[in-house]
Amino acid sequence: MNRIKEVRKKKGLSLQQVADAVGVGNNTISRYETGKREPKLETWQALANFFDVTVPYLQGIDDKPNTGYSKDYIYKQLDDAYKEKWKDPTGQIMGGGFDKTVDAYLKQAKIKKPSKIDETFWKTNFNFLFDNPNIKRLLTTKDKYNDDDIKLLLEYTIFLNFTTMKQIIDYYNNK
């Protein structure tokens, strides 16, 4: 039996709240919970994303709710990379290091850099990172990455959000 109802109740959510978040009716969610109806793969993924668990956990196949990295861990990697002036070991990203990429992004996005950079700074100004499929994958994957791999993914994602780069990507995505 799936864990949709169990996870929903544990998080204190109503059928309607889950239905609204996933884009289906609350009767449909109820049928999913009772096993009278089976979600499509896309719906399983939407439910798992909403509940911040893996699809296999939600389906009752796996006992680990989230085998990926937490958002807090990723924010910590951001903070560490910035403060340690981490440099891309592959040499593919130009600019001199993670801190320079972040500073350049802040300048082009017209975000004032505070005197003290902490977790709140990252959560306020860099939550866009979790819209990127590669970063989303870190939250749900069973794959293990070393910290350098995570920092590299974060730096690439920041770099790709520079206004001109984003315009180019958007242009090709909309073609």
Side-chain angles (χ1 to χ4, degrees):
M1 187 62 131
N2 73 56
R3 292 188 174 102
I4 298 171
K5 184 174 186 176
E6 173 190 327
V7 175
R8 177 179 63 79
K9 294 267 188 189
K10 187 175 180 182
K11 294 190 179 265
L13 299 166
S14 69
L15 285 169
Q16 192 61 55
Q17 287 172 305
V18 175
D20 290 345
V22 179
V24 298
N26 61 358
N27 287 338
T28 303
I29 297 295
S30 177
R31 288 184 190 106
Y32 292 161
E33 289 182 351
T34 60
K36 291 179 182 174
R37 186 169 173 186
E38 184 74 16
K40 292 181 182 176
L41 183 57
E42 305 84 51
T43 307
W44 276 119
Q45 190 61 60
L47 286 163
N49 290 346
F50 177 69
F51 289 131
D52 196 25
V53 297
T54 63
V55 171
Y57 177 79
L58 204 54
Q59 291 173 324
I61 297 169
D62 193 349
D63 290 334
K64 294 181 182 177
N66 194 336
T67 55
Y69 298 91
S70 70
K71 283 186 177 182
D72 287 338
Y73 185 80
I74 293 171
Y75 282 124
K76 182 182 178 332
Q77 292 303 307
L78 272 169
D79 196 53
D80 289 350
Y82 185 81
K83 290 176 179 171
E84 69 192 29
K85 300 181 185 308
W86 180 86
K87 290 187 184 222
D88 165 20
T90 68
Q92 293 178 21
I93 298 177
M94 306 304 273
F98 195 90
D99 61 321
K100 302 278 192 254
T101 300
V102 168
D103 288 347
Y105 172 78
L106 293 174
K107 185 176 180 180
Q108 72 91 37
K110 297 182 174 132
I111 298 170
K112 187 176 191 276
K113 184 168 85 172
S115 57
K116 182 183 177 216
I117 292 181
D118 59 10
E119 187 176 326
T120 303
F121 167 78
W122 297 112
K123 286 182 177 181
T124 302
N125 299 294
F126 288 83
N127 58 352
F128 69 86
L129 293 170
F130 296 100
D131 295 333
N132 179 283
N134 294 319
I135 304 302
K136 279 183 182 178
R137 188 171 195 286
L138 289 175
L139 299 173
T140 58
T141 186
K142 288 185 181 186
D143 299 339
K144 292 296 171 201
Y145 296 90
N146 65 43
D147 289 349
D148 280 342
D149 291 339
I150 293 170
K151 290 171 184 170
L152 185 60
L153 277 172
L154 291 168
E155 189 170 12
Y156 276 134
T157 304
I158 293 167
F159 181 76
L160 292 173
N161 260 285
F162 277 79
T163 305
T164 53
M165 195 57 129
K166 187 160 177 22
Q167 289 169 341
I168 292 167
I169 292 167
D170 288 347
Y171 172 79
Y172 283 104
N173 284 340
N174 292 324
K175 251 187 145 185

